[in-house]
């Protein structure tokens, strides 16, 4: 699952590839809790273990992608 985070005053978005077993509802609750709870930073870890921190007051949007199977080659 890919997570895309838009940051205010930035033309680019952050894209994190999460592990296959990531619970979408739990991740959504974690993000909402950080934003509404007044946490200064939202910290997420991607598939490779990279830690990414985003200031919660700069988050413009969060897009939680759907789990998709990645295919190689030509689709049929």
């Amino acid at each position: 699952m890919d997570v895309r985070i838009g940051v205010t005053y930035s033309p680019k978005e952050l894209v994190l590839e999460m592990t296959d077993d990531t619970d979408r509802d739990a991740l959504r609750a974690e993000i909402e809790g950080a934003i509404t709870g007044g946490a200064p930073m939202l910290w997420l870890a991607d598939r490779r273990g990279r830690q990414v921190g985003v200031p919660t007051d700069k988050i413009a949007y969060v897009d939680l992608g759907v789990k998709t199977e990645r295919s190689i080659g030509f689709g049929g």
Side-chain angles (χ1 to χ4, degrees):
M1 172 176 57
D2 288 339
V3 176
R4 300 180 193 286
I5 302 173
V7 181
T8 57
Y9 305 115
S10 176
K12 295 185 179 183
E13 60 186 11
L14 299 172
V15 180
L16 290 98
E17 185 177 336
M18 307 305 280
T19 59
D20 294 334
D21 62 346
T22 300
D23 182 1
R24 183 183 176 136
D25 294 330
L27 180 61
R28 180 179 172 178
E30 179 182 348
I31 293 168
E32 285 180 357
I35 294 170
T36 60
M41 296 285 285
L42 169 65
W43 286 97
L44 297 173
D46 69 359
R47 174 184 296 268
R48 295 174 285 171
R50 179 179 64 158
Q51 295 281 325
V52 177
V54 182
T56 55
D57 63 340
K58 301 297 183 196
I59 295 175
Y61 64 88
V62 177
D63 177 18
L64 299 177
V66 295
K67 287 187 179 181
T68 57
E69 295 295 324
R70 298 199 184 264
S71 61
I72 298 176
F74 296 98

